[in-house]
Amino acid sequence: MSRYEPSQIEPKWQTAWDDAGVFLARRDPAKPKYYVLEMFPYPSGRIHMGHVRNYTMGDVVARFMAAKGYSVLHPMGWDAFGMPAENAAMERGGHPKDWTYQNIADMRGQMKPLGLSIDWSREFATCDPEYYGQQQSMFLDMLAAGLIYRKAAMVNWDPVDMTVLANEQVIDGRGWRSGALVERRELTQWFFKISDYSAELLEALDGLKDWPEKVRLMQANWIGKSRGLQFAFTTHGAPEGFDRLDVYTTRPDTLLGASFAAISPDHPLAKHLERHDPAVAAFVAECRRGGTSAEAIETGEKLGLDTGITVLHPFDNDWQLPVYIANFVLMDYGTGAIFGCPAHDQRDFEFATKYSLPIPPVFIAEGTEEAALTEAYVPMKSERVTYVRGFAGQTDQTGEAAVLAAITECEARGVGRGVTNYRLRDWGLSRQRYWGCPIPVIHCDTCGVVPEAKENLPVRLPDDVTFDKPGNPLDRHPTWRDCTCPKCGAAAKRETDTMDTFVDSSWYYARFTSPHSDTPTNAEDAAYWMNVDQYIGGIEHAILHLLYSRFFARAMHKTGHLPASAIEPFNALFTQGMVTHEIYKTTDAQGRPVYHLPEHVGEFIIGPARFVFLKAGLEEGETTISSGVLARLKAANQMVEVIPSAKMSKSKKNVVDPMNIIAQFGADTARWFVMSDSPPERDVEWTSSGADAAFKHLSRVWTLCSRIGEMPADHKGEGDDALLRATAKAVDEVTKGIETFAFNKAIATLYGFTNTLSKANASTPAMKHAIRTLAQLMSPMVPHIAESIWTYQGGAGLCTQAPWPKADPTLLTLDTVTLPIQINGKRRAEISVPKDMPVAEVEKLALADEDVVRFLAGQPVKKIIVVPGRIINVVI
RNA sequence: GCGGGCGUGGCGGAAUGGUAGACGCGAGGGUCUCAAACACCCUUACCGCAAGGUGUGUCGGUUCGAGUCCGACCGCCCGCACCA
């Protein structure tokens, strides 16, 4: 066996796998199925280390499950609609379609060398008319089923470019291109009725046992179930038709701490006042300045305007509260109107302080005196309070108990009723952009909104569009907009909004089960392959993508596109961390930061000190750094400041291109590195020393394989039994590691096993068996080198298709165990005992141990605790 | 602002409530070499010659025993509905 040269073996094995068709997913009734899916990529044009990590994880699982005898589905596709393609068209000319498909070709070309076990025959892009046509068909089904409706909603409006902006296009309240102050504007848009499923989506989270707890928690909080009181204030001085003001509160227990009422600038009352009062109009316009994102609204300055209207406190008709219009009150939540209790809510407190409103406390900390507050008083869980302004029925309760008691009391008094409310809003799917799935409806002057006829699907995006002007090119397309009404045949206009790209990604997992079917799904294929057994992707999708997919699967079931068993489409979810890298920074003459690419930076280490410098500062032929060179680099400002590990981003220039790594070390090294060291759910820092180490280790295994291959066939050794035990232990630990996504631990085991094997003195057959097993255990992570070793050591067929090794349980247990002995919780000694020794005898042995006797120094033993096989603790 | 997560050697990290630091990196020492690179071997939490002591962000609690469980605090990171 020659030297380890990945560039020689990797393409060879990839061809061998393709020729044998080993990754083609087939419905096989004789085998259990396993569907593993990584979140499909956006085709930006370049794969990055995050992709390598994500797909390697999925690949390890897919290869492992295939070796365990499952019929595996492991597909790949492209989330291909979205803004970057339009931005590229605007910046560089060209067409979003060409840009996207070229990027797909480029990325496919970069992914193939990774040697992933993907069934490429199922590949599709969401911008393929074959895909989005089926999506349009489902849109029509869902529209007919009452799952989709239209209503007015806010968008970010750029008044200079006259275009709608995405939240990410709003920077510090201004349009990213025009720099104009962004306004909120109302448009009629399409919505999915996801809120109909609030309760179900929340309750079903309990059944998702193999999802990370934190994702379920985040979704639960997002859905935001709350129990509160809805009641009506009687208004005083309000315009006609507004004699009641409905309010929802989750804190009815603080009702007697009310100080003011506030309505959203989008509340019907505010809109009414706006038309008649210039001061209100000016204020509301001020509120509508700035973006629509929750972050922009919540972190902006809290502003209010006294409308002059008052409301009567429901418990005391002589008590009047002023009504404000306030920019932090959201129309989408509750009733768009609140009552403010500054004593027990920090935001209300700040508002009341700003506008000099009273701050009456409802309760105070037990044992304290009522005093002026400097901040809102919100008791901790364990804290006890005394009510100073409570109403009948209120005791010293706090928290949920107090809220529920208050609801009961209010209902008894005829003040409102308890209601369950959800924070989850309906999903707005309209986008005023070109590069998305056209919404298949037609606007007819006589018939109104009419669904496109199914036989006319797909409604294709027109190719002849330009991006020289801001806004949606579909709006100004000469002929595409014009059409005839499917109902009355009169001239009509197409909807020019396209769908949110989250729609595309909400059902692609189902499409993979029959990617070229002429219906959205095929019943037999969906029944066989669904659900996704293991879904893998970034935590950034923990809420929106996953929640939308869960909703969409239900909507697909309701419209007959998925079986009832698939309404929770992802059985298990794994969220992996990011790949990070250091940032290298210098400053220019003006003191502005300048960032440098990792490959332009060198480093050397003297003792604990690390020096990082620009390679450009070296002179020709300089490979080592002497003190003279160091001094020169320092003087020439070629030393670099290192900013610790951060998300890879182009602007910070800390991106490591996987293609460079593959060229230098091979795909196996890249795969091995991203799976080792860090646990997969956590961030992993890419380091060049780590990549070197991964390559060195694979080379060591290669050399070891050669050595074993050259051993004489009749070589005898003493260590067969020990090697057999070590092999069984490695099989057991690697198997468990992969099953629990503890890939870093599986790899640590493989390091240990390699060390054991290289030091072993065993017979040739035992050594060969051990290294073949090592190759198998490594193969999910580094399949190419594993194939080479497997073949070289006489393994039958492809290592990829060999059944996963099993550990003989009798080889896993030892006859004697070493038990640590603690005295008062501190480790003082240890003894070796047979593994089945009775507790009483272990106690006797422990107390007789000479170290124990020395430490006890004659003191009486109060208690002795023996945890069999674990530990002994002597208490004195 | 709201919601979520994470804090363990010089670094990445390991540890069903039971010997804290597996494994890897880095560093130090050695073998080989004319020398270097490679490779291999040893050492490596901190203080201490040692005996021993101290250590998992901080403070407190539960327990025979806490990195792990509970409470409060501090720091960092992520998401916030039109980015994908």
Side-chain angles (χ1 to χ4, degrees):
Chain A
M1 221 174 168
S2 49
R3 273 188 41 201
Y4 174 48
E5 285 187 51
S7 61
Q8 301 295 309
I9 63 165
E10 291 182 356
K12 186 181 86 181
W13 290 118
Q14 285 161 18
T15 307
W17 298 327
D18 281 348
D19 290 349
V22 291
F23 306 135
L24 294 178
R26 291 187 193 85
R27 271 171 29 203
D28 183 346
K31 284 183 179 179
K33 70 92 190 179
Y34 196 85
Y35 182 3
V36 55
L37 182 67
E38 301 96 53
M39 291 180 185
F40 67 163
Y42 179 79
S44 61
R46 302 294 299 174
I47 65 166
H48 54 68
M49 278 299 167
H51 291 130
V52 174
R53 196 182 193 203
N54 192 193
Y55 306 138
T56 302
M57 274 178 210
D59 202 43
V60 169
V61 174
R63 287 172 175 275
F64 174 72
M65 294 310 285
K68 298 263 279 187
Y70 287 78
S71 174
V72 170
L73 171 58
H74 184 210
M76 180 59 66
W78 310 96
D79 189 12
F81 276 134
M83 288 199 304
E86 285 190 48
N87 293 339
M90 268 183 264
E91 280 158 21
R92 278 165 262 174
H95 196 283
K97 183 176 170 180
D98 301 333
W99 185 86
T100 302
Y101 279 103
Q102 184 58 50
N103 281 350
I104 288 172
D106 290 347
M107 282 181 83
R108 190 192 302 112
Q110 291 160 30
M111 280 168 72
K112 291 226 164 155
L114 284 169
L116 303 169
S117 64
I118 285 166
D119 178 356
W120 285 101
S121 75
R122 292 174 184 259
E123 177 190 358
F124 61 77
T126 55
C127 63
D128 297 339
E130 192 189 15
Y131 182 81
Y132 72 69
Q134 299 301 334
Q135 186 165 303
Q136 290 169 338
S137 166
M138 283 197 293
F139 178 95
L140 297 178
D141 294 342
M142 290 176 191
L143 184 62
L147 290 161
I148 300 177
Y149 69 101
R150 286 198 342 143
K151 71 168 179 184
M154 291 292 174
V155 293
N156 299 305
W157 180 256
D158 185 322
V160 171
D161 275 353
M162 303 289 281
T163 185
V164 176
L165 298 177
N167 280 342
E168 79 157 9
Q169 296 172 317
V170 178
I171 295 162
D172 297 330
R174 290 171 184 274
W176 65 337
R177 290 186 200 280
S178 68
L181 281 170
V182 167
E183 298 164 8
R184 268 171 255 164
R185 188 175 264 214
E186 222 169 46
L187 281 186
T188 302
Q189 305 184 64
W190 292 96
F191 284 82
F192 283 114
K193 283 196 99 173
I194 189 171
S195 62
D196 277 1
Y197 290 80
S198 297
E200 196 194 321
L201 288 167
L202 181 66
E203 280 156 23
L205 286 172
D206 289 339
L208 300 175
K209 303 283 182 224
D210 292 320
W211 281 41
E213 182 61 38
K214 67 173 169 180
V215 173
R216 290 191 285 162
L217 192 59
M218 284 163 89
Q219 292 221 348
N221 286 329
W222 189 260
I223 295 168
K225 181 177 182 172
S226 65
R227 185 73 185 163
L229 179 77
Q230 185 162 328
F231 68 95
F233 280 119
T234 305
T235 60
H236 185 79
E240 216 185 304
F242 291 98
D243 32 308
R244 287 159 46 95
L245 182 64
D246 281 314
V247 169
Y248 173 75
T249 178
T250 56
R251 295 298 308 278
D253 56 319
T254 64
L255 205 46
L256 287 171
S259 168
F260 62 93
I263 60 173
S264 164
D266 303 316
H267 192 276
L269 175 56
K271 285 183 174 172
H272 184 274
L273 295 172
E274 184 184 1
R275 286 197 290 275
H276 302 93
D277 184 339
V280 172
F283 179 75
V284 169
E286 171 72 24
C287 292
R288 292 202 181 124
R289 204 158 290 160
T292 60
S293 73
E295 192 187 2
I297 293 165
E298 297 284 328
T299 55
E301 197 192 349
K302 309 284 177 283
L303 296 174
L305 177 76
D306 190 344
T307 59
I309 299 168
T310 56
V311 291
L312 308 181
H313 194 284
F315 284 17
D316 179 356
N317 282 346
D318 294 330
W319 183 2
Q320 298 198 5
L321 304 169
V323 177
Y324 280 73
I325 301 172
N327 64 348
F328 60 86
V329 181
L330 303 174
M331 193 59 221
D332 289 324
Y333 183 69
T335 61
I338 61 160
F339 87 86
C341 175
H344 304 297
D345 180 285
Q346 187 60 24
R347 189 165 58 182
D348 291 350
F349 181 88
E350 285 163 20
F351 191 84
T353 307
K354 185 167 179 175
Y355 294 102
S356 306
L357 295 161
I359 305 177
V362 177
F363 44 76
I364 55 175
E366 192 181 57
T368 63
E369 299 280 312
E370 188 174 340
L373 294 166
T374 53
E375 59 177 359
Y377 172 56
V378 183
M380 288 183 296
K381 271 186 195 170
S382 52
E383 216 171 322
R384 299 181 65 84
V385 302
T386 306
Y387 277 80
V388 294
R389 209 166 270 105
F391 46 84
Q394 281 188 324
T395 59
D396 57 355
Q397 290 166 322
T398 58
E400 200 188 345
V403 170
L404 295 179
I407 290 172
T408 307
E409 177 65 20
C410 287
E411 283 179 340
R413 290 181 180 218
V415 175
R417 63 197 163 85
V419 294
T420 299
N421 205 1
Y422 295 91
R423 208 181 66 102
L424 183 64
R425 309 200 300 250
D426 278 335
W427 171 14
L429 67 105
S430 300
R431 297 290 180 272
Q432 295 71 39
R433 274 186 274 279
Y434 166 77
W435 192 234
C437 171
I439 295 173
V441 297
I442 286 154
H443 299 274
C444 170
D445 283 342
T446 40
C447 309
V449 178
V450 183
E452 178 61 279
K454 275 206 176 179
E455 56 269 28
N456 294 337
L457 300 183
V459 175
R460 284 171 187 268
L461 285 171
D463 286 337
D464 54 334
V465 286
T466 55
F467 294 88
D468 46 352
K469 285 185 272 229
N472 183 356
L474 295 177
D475 276 335
R476 50 173 192 266
H477 190 279
T479 53
W480 187 82
R481 267 193 88 169
D482 301 327
C483 61
T484 52
C485 172
K487 215 167 173 180
C488 69
K493 302 253 183 239
R494 249 178 227 299
E495 169 81 49
T496 59
D497 282 358
T498 53
M499 293 186 207
D500 178 8
T501 55
F502 273 121
V503 182
D504 312 335
S505 55
S506 290
W507 71 285
Y508 76 107
Y509 51 85
R511 185 69 180 168
F512 273 136
T513 63
S514 53
H516 304 299
S517 165
D518 56 9
T519 47
T521 54
N522 167 286
E524 277 179 36
D525 285 317
Y528 181 81
W529 290 114
M530 287 298 288
N531 293 346
V532 175
D533 292 281
Q534 181 66 59
Y535 196 34
I536 307 170
I539 186 72
E540 66 273 21
H541 295 291
I543 297 174
L544 291 183
H545 163 61
L546 290 166
L547 192 62
Y548 290 157
S549 295
R550 295 178 61 219
F551 160 73
F552 218 82
R554 286 168 170 77
M556 284 176 75
H557 168 59
K558 190 171 179 184
T559 49
H561 298 295
L562 275 181
S565 56
I567 58 168
E568 280 299 342
F570 311 122
N571 288 349
L573 171 71
F574 190 87
T575 54
Q576 104 269 16
M578 294 181 301
V579 182
T580 61
H581 196 277
E582 292 175 332
I583 294 172
Y584 305 112
K585 191 179 104 176
T586 55
T587 41
D588 66 11
Q590 281 75 46
R592 289 173 304 213
V594 180
Y595 298 103
H596 303 279
L597 294 169
E599 52 265 39
H600 294 167
V601 170
E603 67 166 59
F604 66 104
I605 288 158
I606 302 175
R610 179 178 175 212
F611 300 92
V612 182
F613 57 91
L614 289 177
K615 285 182 185 165
L618 293 180
E619 284 168 11
E620 203 166 326
E622 274 179 349
T623 50
T624 55
I625 307 297
S626 65
S627 56
V629 174
L630 179 57
R632 198 189 71 231
L633 289 167
K634 276 183 176 163
N637 193 26
Q638 298 289 312
M639 299 305 292
V640 171
E641 186 192 340
V642 177
I643 298 167
S645 212
K647 188 174 186 165
M648 288 189 181
S649 89
K650 264 189 190 163
S651 64
K652 296 290 187 330
K653 292 201 175 174
N654 63 336
V655 176
V656 174
D657 188 335
M659 291 300 100
N660 295 342
I661 304 302
I662 292 174
Q664 195 181 349
F665 299 112
D668 280 342
T669 292
R671 295 172 58 121
W672 187 260
F673 179 86
V674 292
M675 301 303 280
S676 57
D677 286 349
S678 283
E681 68 275 16
R682 243 191 267 182
D683 292 352
V684 63
E685 183 180 345
W686 180 272
T687 59
S688 53
S689 59
D692 284 339
F695 181 76
K696 271 186 202 170
H697 177 71
L698 296 182
S699 302
R700 255 197 305 270
V701 175
W702 184 274
T703 309
L704 176 62
C705 173
S706 297
R707 219 187 72 214
I708 292 172
E710 286 156 16
M711 280 169 62
D714 57 351
H715 176 82
K716 299 272 189 295
E718 309 299 306
D720 281 18
D721 186 54
L723 185 58
L724 214 57
R725 281 178 183 278
T727 308
K729 189 160 162 271
V731 170
D732 184 55
E733 287 179 3
V734 171
T735 304
K736 280 184 185 146
I738 294 176
E739 280 169 350
T740 59
F741 270 73
F743 305 120
N744 54 327
K745 285 190 266 172
I747 285 184
T749 299
L750 288 167
Y751 271 105
F753 182 45
T754 306
N755 288 340
T756 304
L757 181 53
S758 67
K759 284 176 194 157
N761 173 29
S763 68
T764 299
M767 294 292 276
K768 278 184 169 278
H769 170 256
I771 194 148
R772 274 202 306 270
T773 307
L774 175 63
Q776 281 189 283
L777 296 178
M778 288 170 75
S779 72
M781 277 73 84
V782 284
H784 310 90
I785 189 173
E787 287 287 2
S788 290
I789 294 170
W790 177 258
T791 304
Y792 182 71
Q793 298 293 350
L798 288 166
C799 181
T800 300
Q801 290 182 300
W804 192 252
K806 283 200 178 67
D808 178 352
T810 60
L811 293 172
L812 293 173
T813 47
L814 292 168
D815 300 334
T816 56
V817 287
T818 303
L819 293 180
I821 303 174
Q822 294 183 331
I823 294 173
N824 283 348
K826 284 197 181 298
R827 182 179 174 279
R828 296 300 185 186
E830 63 180 38
I831 48 171
S832 270
V833 298
K835 85 174 169 208
D836 302 323
M837 188 182 242
V839 166
E841 280 181 55
V842 174
E843 280 182 20
K844 226 180 280 173
L845 265 180
L847 292 176
D849 183 85
E850 67 177 288
D851 284 332
V852 173
V853 169
R854 186 162 57 87
F855 271 97
L856 290 179
Q859 295 178 73
V861 171
K862 280 193 197 139
K863 199 170 170 185
I864 178 161
I865 291 148
V866 176
V867 184
R870 278 283 172 193
I871 202 165
I872 301 156
N873 193 9
V874 181
V875 184
I876 53 176

